[in-house]
Structure formats: C-alpha cells, structure tokens
Amino acid sequence: MSADERREAVLRAARVEFGQHGYAAATTEAIARRVGVSQPYLFRLFPSKKAIFLASIDYCFDRLELRFEAAADGLTGEDALTAMGLSYNGLLEDRPVLQMQLQMWSAACHDDEVRALARRRLAGLWQQIARLSGTDEKRIMQFMASGMLLNVFAALELPRITEQLGEALMGLVDTRPTP
Amino acid sequence: MSADERREAVLRAARVEFGQHGYAAATTEAIARRVGVSQPYLFRLFPSKKAIFLASIDYCFDRLELRFEAAADGLTGEDALTAMGLSYNGLLEDRPVLQMQLQMWSAACHDDEVRALARRRLAGLWQQIARLSGTDEKRIMQFMASGMLLNVFAALELPRITEQLGEALMGLVDTRPTP
DNA sequence: CAGCAAAGTTAGTGACCAATCACTAATGAT
DNA sequence: ATCATTAGTGATTGGTCACTAACTTTGCTG
C-alpha cells in the first residue's frame, strides 16, 4: 500500500480513536493497531501525534463540507438549510465524526494550533452555509447552535432523543431523514 | 484549614485545570500546585483523579443551577428565559466554567461514569429551566442549543463575537455581527 | 503539658506512552 | 543482476503521571 493510502487509513482510524478518547488519552499505539501497522511507522507518515490530530480535523471538515454541498445542491434559503440539517442528522450514525468534533472544541481550549485551525474551519463552514442557504446571520447561528446540541446528545448516547431533537430544532414535522 | 475547606479549594482549582486541559491532560500535580498543597495530599481528600473530576462536574452544575434560580426569581415565560440567558452570558467571564462543561461532554464520550453523571445533571438542568420558565420544549431546546454554541465560542476565544451571539440568540437585539 | 487525631509532607514505584534508531523486505528502473 | 527507493518492524528510551507508604507537623483538649 502506498504511503498516501496509508495516511488516509490512518486518518480514518485516528478520527475514531481521537473521537472516543480525546486527543490526550488517545494513543498512537491504538491508532496503529486499528490501521494494522506498527506504531513507529505512524511517525514516518506524520511528524507527530498532533499532526495526526490536526489532519483528522481537516479530514472531518472536508467531509462535512462535501456533504453539505451535496445536500443543498439546487436548493436555496430555508430549503437548503433543512436539507443540510437532515444531512447532519444523518451523520449521527457516524458517531466518530461527531465525537471528533466535540474533542476538537475541547482541545482548542488549551492548544493554540488546534484553536487556530478550529476557528478557520468553523469560519469556512459558516461561510459555506451562508453561501448555500442565503439566509440571515441569526438563522445560521440557530442552525449552528442546533448542530452543537446534536453533538452533545451524541456524546451522551441519546440517539432517540437526538432524532426528536433534530426534528424539533429543524422545525420539521414528521419527516424521515434518509440522506 | 479543614479537610472540607480544602476539598472545596481543590474543586475550584480542578475546575480550572480540567477546563483548560481536559480530563486526561490535566495533572493532579498542577491542581495541587494551584491549591497550594502537595500532590499526594489530594489523594487523602479524594480517592482518585476521576473522583475529583466527577465532583467538579457536580460543583459546576450546582453553581449554574443556583445562578439560574436567582436570575429567574419572580419571572416566568420568556422573561425568565431571557434573564437566565443573560445570566449565562455573564458567566462567559468565568471561562473556566464554560470550558469545564465542554470538557465534560468530551469525557462523556468514553467514560461511563462521566456520561451517566452528565446525563443526570443535564436532565436536571433541563427540568429546572422548564420549571422556571414554563415555556414549551422546543423553546427550551433552542435555549440549550444556544448555550452549547456559546461554549464553543468560548473555547475558540471569540469573546466579542460571543457577546453579539448571545444577544442574537436570545433575540434581544437584531445586531449584524460579522464573524 | 501530654497525648492524640487530623493535616500535611517527602520519597518513591510501576505503568504507560510518544518518539527515535537501526534494521529488513519488497519493488522497480537501468 | 544491481542499485536505489519505498514500505515497514522490533527494541528501546526518556519522560510523565497517578497513586502509595511512611513519616512529620500542628492544633486541640482533658
């Protein structure tokens, strides 16, 4: 397998480990085991543990932005927001991604690099949502806030409540999210 | 100083350390230094590091509930919610508390005890807000979601934006923030 | 003041973990 | 066939950290 493919595999594994245990408690050993390579080899693919973490953050945001782009395709305004909200709700099944996002905010508390990256990517996401929906700032804030609450409910492992919550927050009436 | 007073001091210090660094990365050494006692003595006051963390969570929720109780005193409905929202916004100056809350959600991802406590205390807070405001579920969800977004902005150290956000989310003033 | 309990310390241990180093196996171009 | 590059490993190391054991100090009370 090429180094690039391995790096991709590492990011997938790292997202799970970091999401479950947080940056500090996740071990490079566990990531390596999940990938199926030796632990030292991670340091051939990435310069440091933190580099893996930062790359994982980018990886998650990249995927999320692609997802939003696809969901809002051809839609505008409140319709686009709804579609993106449903798409995010569908992401609930991929818990590692949500957990990873929570872990990122936590890590941002004390690490300058993480905070800088998190700010940049959140701003980018914000602008993307604004561009795709065209709705006003206040509405986007509500949208973002809903997402944050969904993250927390995912962390607390309340999937049923989370679904109801998603519907309530999106202002939906009995629609079934199947993106 | 009595052991009980020390325990209280430990919780104050622990809240800051856990909030800044997260559960795993925070060290008992740093907590002890902040309190002004030797590190091993913490283990006379608490059975383990996790016990300190769990007690810190309780400590934060206790303070928050007291704060909400005071803010909503004599008010009902939307007025009570607004008062509590402003009170929470004021809490932004006590960043350790907000960061501690984020760290709690993160830790809940992988620790059963933390998750159980977090669920219990969040449910309690939810009920308190419902009791004090008397508003419907959807409105309370929005209120909670706003709080979560405020936490994230606190983690990203965006106080100015956070203030505007607080106002916008509470629906107080229709300002036009530009993030 | 004796004695005793609670408050607090110093010194230490075992476990764990990120990162390094020196090495081997496979691949592919000339 | 040979050489060079790429993929990958085992052993180790330096450092950190939660937690323990054994000891000392302080302050109160009969």
Side-chain angles (χ1 to χ4, degrees), chain B residues 95-107:
Chain B
R95 282 175 35 82
V97 179
L98 286 175
Q99 292 185 344
M100 176 69 201
Q101 239 143 51
L102 257 184
Q103 300 297 350
M104 177 186 62
W105 308 130
S106 305

Side-chain angles (χ1 to χ4, degrees), chain A residues 5-150:
Chain A
E5 288 172 312
R6 276 286 185 226
R7 256 182 283 267
E8 179 97 6
V10 168
L11 291 186
R12 261 199 311 273
R15 196 187 50 185
V16 177
E17 289 296 324
F18 284 132
Q20 268 173 9
H21 304 103
Y23 172 68
T27 68
T28 54
E29 176 70 40
I31 296 172
R33 207 179 314 123
R34 200 176 275 273
V35 179
V37 297
S38 65
Q39 177 261 352
Y41 189 52
L42 293 187
F43 293 88
R44 290 269 156 125
L45 301 170
F46 294 90
S48 67
K49 182 186 180 184
K50 193 150 97 179
I52 301 178
F53 188 66
L54 293 171
S56 301
I57 292 176
D58 271 324
Y59 186 82
C60 286
F61 271 103
D62 287 343
R63 280 171 53 100
L64 186 58
E65 289 180 356
L66 278 173
R67 207 182 169 97
F68 277 176
E69 201 78 38
D73 185 50
L75 302 173
T76 55
E78 204 62 34
D79 289 343
L81 269 189
T82 303
M84 288 189 279
L86 285 174
S87 179
Y88 196 72
N89 217 356
L91 205 68
L92 287 177
E93 282 153 34
D94 191 357
R95 282 176 34 82
V97 178
L98 287 174
Q99 291 184 343
M100 177 70 202
Q101 238 143 53
L102 258 183
Q103 301 297 350
M104 177 186 60
W105 307 130
S106 305
C109 286
H110 69 282
D111 189 292
D112 289 342
E113 284 181 82
V114 174
R115 186 165 53 246
L117 181 59
R119 285 164 86 150
R120 191 155 55 78
R121 299 297 317 231
L122 185 68
L125 191 66
W126 200 287
Q127 282 171 4
Q128 190 205 25
I129 294 172
R131 175 171 55 79
L132 290 174
S133 74
T135 55
D136 63 69
E137 289 265 350
K138 198 170 153 185
R139 185 71 188 89
I140 293 174
M141 278 190 193
Q142 282 178 357
F143 182 81
M144 281 282 188
S146 307
M148 301 301 170
L149 188 56
L150 286 176

Side-chain angles (χ1 to χ4, degrees), chain B residues 102-128:
Chain B
L102 257 184
Q103 300 297 350
M104 177 186 62
W105 308 130
S106 305
C109 285
H110 70 281
D111 189 293
D112 290 342
E113 284 180 83
V114 173
R115 187 165 53 244
L117 181 58
R119 285 164 87 149
R120 192 156 53 76
R121 298 298 316 232
L122 185 68
L125 191 65
W126 200 287
Q127 283 171 4
Q128 190 205 23

